[in-house]
Amino acid sequence: MPLAALICANKSTRDNVSTLVGTLHFAGHSLLEYQARMAREAGADTILIMVGAVSPDLSRAVDRLTQDGIAVTLTRDIVAIGRELANKDALMLIGDGAVVALPYMRQVAGQPGPAVLTVPDDSPAANMERIDAQARWGGVARLPVPLLADTLDMLGDWDLESTLLRRIVQTGPARVEAPLEAVLDGEIALIDSQRAASVLADAVMTARLSEVVERGPADRFVLGPLAATIAPLLMRQQVPAQQIDIAGIALAAIGILTVQLQLSGIGLFLFLLALLAGRSALRLRRAAGRSDGGHWLPLIAPGIILVGIALIGRNSVNQAVMGWSGGLWLAALLALVEFSLMRDQDGRGQRGASGLSLYATLPSAVLLMLLAQWMGIVAWGMALATAWAIATVGALLLLPRRT
């Protein structure tokens, strides 16, 4: 069933009447962009944004969403909304300044008929709109498009968001009831200031980062914890994930140069820093609700590092143990491992038992080679990494994939 989303973006912030709540900085971009990305993940293929006036900030937000392949339309005309939704069956209404965790948004979007997300009527939810004596609106509702059309035909000066909500409630919708803990934990909130947005963004980042599955020892115990510490700092400084990816590419390229100068130890350390930058950028994208699919930039640094590993094999002083062809084999095996794990991560699947994973990921192999370099046995370190990668490929082929 075709589903559209209507995001209301008319309210001003409590701090400044000239600033819209939707343009507040949130999790690496604007709140409006975050709402649109969550709506897309919840199943909406068309997203409309109802605004009072089109500002440069709103236009830039729409441009960024469009670049990521998300169809977004800014509209000031309620008649235009009716035309845009002519071929849609259902509409998901997202409140102005509402932040709703993806599971709750999906529950509302997946209902067969009118539905509304509710939270208990208690003091932590006091800034949310009251539905009845027991519940308040959680910021997301689902309604049939004909109900919207009937509302648009009404005469008079009225607020679209509140009027639609009242009309949905009058139809006796299904209620997706969220516990009060969802409000206390920041899973459901209504933002009205930059301070509230910043506090909630930290909670959202923590929740979204739990989706990142680290599948190798170096990923889990070294790069993962470091990236989890660095990413929130970058987010608060409003550093785009794209710039972090570019920094990782630069570090990897410098690493290639040092390898060519027979300084493999320095090169491997720079490779680790490049991979750390990539892991940090990944966390920024996940916190912002951005998908990794279709983006080629995060793949450049790992590709450069794989070339560097092949070059280290060529430069190995012990050609009897590991030479040029051996370096190529190791790079190819690691590329195969990374591709397989990336595909599993995109599908939120895992292979094998839960708990500590001993896969030969690219960071784990680079760390092993760096340790071997410091011990003066880089060729033997590459040989061990190759055997480890072969075992990992075997495990990926033989162990079932879980979703």
Side-chain angles (χ1 to χ4, degrees):
M1 177 180 293
L3 178 67
L6 175 62
I7 302 174
C8 298
N10 293 297
K11 294 181 181 178
S12 298
T13 66
R14 189 174 56 186
D15 308 322
N16 189 342
V17 294
S18 63
T19 302
L20 292 177
V21 171
T23 61
L24 291 173
H25 182 75
F26 185 84
H29 51 186
S30 69
L31 174 61
L32 190 61
E33 290 174 76
Y34 182 82
Q35 291 174 310
R37 295 180 194 282
M38 292 297 100
R40 174 69 177 270
E41 288 197 45
D45 57 4
T46 299
I47 299 173
L48 302 176
I49 302 174
M50 183 68 179
V51 298
V54 178
S55 66
D57 288 340
L58 289 172
S59 298
R60 284 192 292 268
V62 170
D63 290 341
R64 288 190 292 266
L65 290 167
T66 303
Q67 289 174 1
D68 286 347
I70 301 176
V72 179
T73 301
L74 285 177
T75 179
R76 301 172 56 190
D77 186 0
I78 59 176
V79 177
I81 295 177
R83 291 197 300 265
E84 290 286 344
L85 300 177
N87 63 340
K88 301 296 179 182
D89 296 321
L91 175 71
M92 183 165 57
L93 174 66
I94 301 176
D96 203 335
V99 174
V100 180
L102 186 58
Y104 291 112
M105 192 173 287
R106 282 176 171 164
Q107 287 184 52
V108 174
Q111 297 295 320
V116 60
L117 176 66
T118 65
V119 296
D121 183 20
D122 208 330
S123 56
N127 64 335
M128 299 180 181
E129 188 164 354
R130 189 190 300 274
I131 293 177
D132 53 36
Q134 289 79 38
R136 292 179 180 264
W137 185 38
V140 177
R142 187 184 189 278
L143 66 149
V145 169
L147 181 61
L148 172 67
D150 292 342
T151 304
L152 297 181
D153 289 337
M154 296 171 58
L155 298 177
D157 186 13
W158 44 266
D159 178 74
L160 178 61
E161 177 183 318
S162 297
T163 305
L164 271 179
L165 177 61
R166 293 302 171 190
R167 299 209 67 190
I168 296 169
V169 172
Q170 290 170 6
T171 65
R175 294 197 177 192
V176 177
E177 298 179 353
L180 188 60
E181 288 74 15
V183 179
L184 296 173
D185 295 340
E187 295 181 301
I188 299 174
L190 191 62
I191 292 175
D192 59 2
S193 67
Q194 184 58 64
R195 179 179 179 182
S198 299
V199 171
L200 187 61
D202 287 341
V204 168
M205 168 166 271
T206 300
R208 297 284 293 184
L209 292 189
S210 64
E211 300 175 2
V212 180
V213 181
E214 301 292 5
R215 304 300 289 167
D219 310 63
R220 176 167 296 196
F221 296 115
V222 182
L223 297 191
L226 288 174
T229 301
I230 293 172
L233 299 177
L234 296 173
M235 185 184 70
R236 296 187 191 102
Q237 296 298 319
Q238 304 183 21
V239 180
Q242 184 177 13
Q243 291 186 10
I244 309 303
D245 281 321
I246 293 173
I249 294 171
L251 287 169
I254 297 172
I256 284 280
L257 294 177
T258 58
V259 168
Q260 287 286 70
L261 296 173
Q262 305 294 322
L263 299 173
S264 298
I266 297 176
L268 288 167
F269 180 72
L270 291 173
F271 290 161
L272 272 182
L273 291 180
L275 291 169
L276 175 60
R279 291 299 194 272
S280 300
L282 169 64
R283 280 158 172 75
L284 287 175
R285 288 192 295 274
R286 289 291 168 85
R290 290 177 173 173
S291 171
D292 302 317
H295 295 277
W296 51 267
L297 192 63
L299 303 178
I300 296 179
I304 294 174
I305 293 170
L306 290 172
V307 173
I309 289 174
L311 291 175
I312 291 174
R314 185 194 66 179
N315 297 338
S316 174
V317 295
N318 192 343
Q319 296 291 330
V321 177
M322 181 65 65
W324 171 246
S325 61
L328 285 175
W329 276 111
L330 176 57
L333 287 168
L334 292 174
L336 183 60
V337 170
E338 288 295 320
F339 174 77
S340 179
L341 295 180
M342 181 175 60
R343 184 182 61 179
D344 276 356
Q345 181 68 22
D346 289 341
R348 297 300 185 267
Q350 300 179 23
R351 294 179 185 268
S354 60
L356 175 62
S357 172
L358 297 177
Y359 291 153
T361 59
L362 182 57
S364 298
V366 170
L367 181 58
L368 174 61
M369 292 171 58
L370 180 59
L371 294 175
Q373 175 72 34
W374 285 342
M375 297 172 62
I377 52 171
V378 62
W380 288 103
M382 291 190 68
L384 180 58
T386 302
W388 189 12
I390 292 172
T392 298
V393 171
L396 291 173
L397 292 174
L398 297 176
L399 294 177
R401 182 173 183 265
R402 299 178 179 180
T403 57

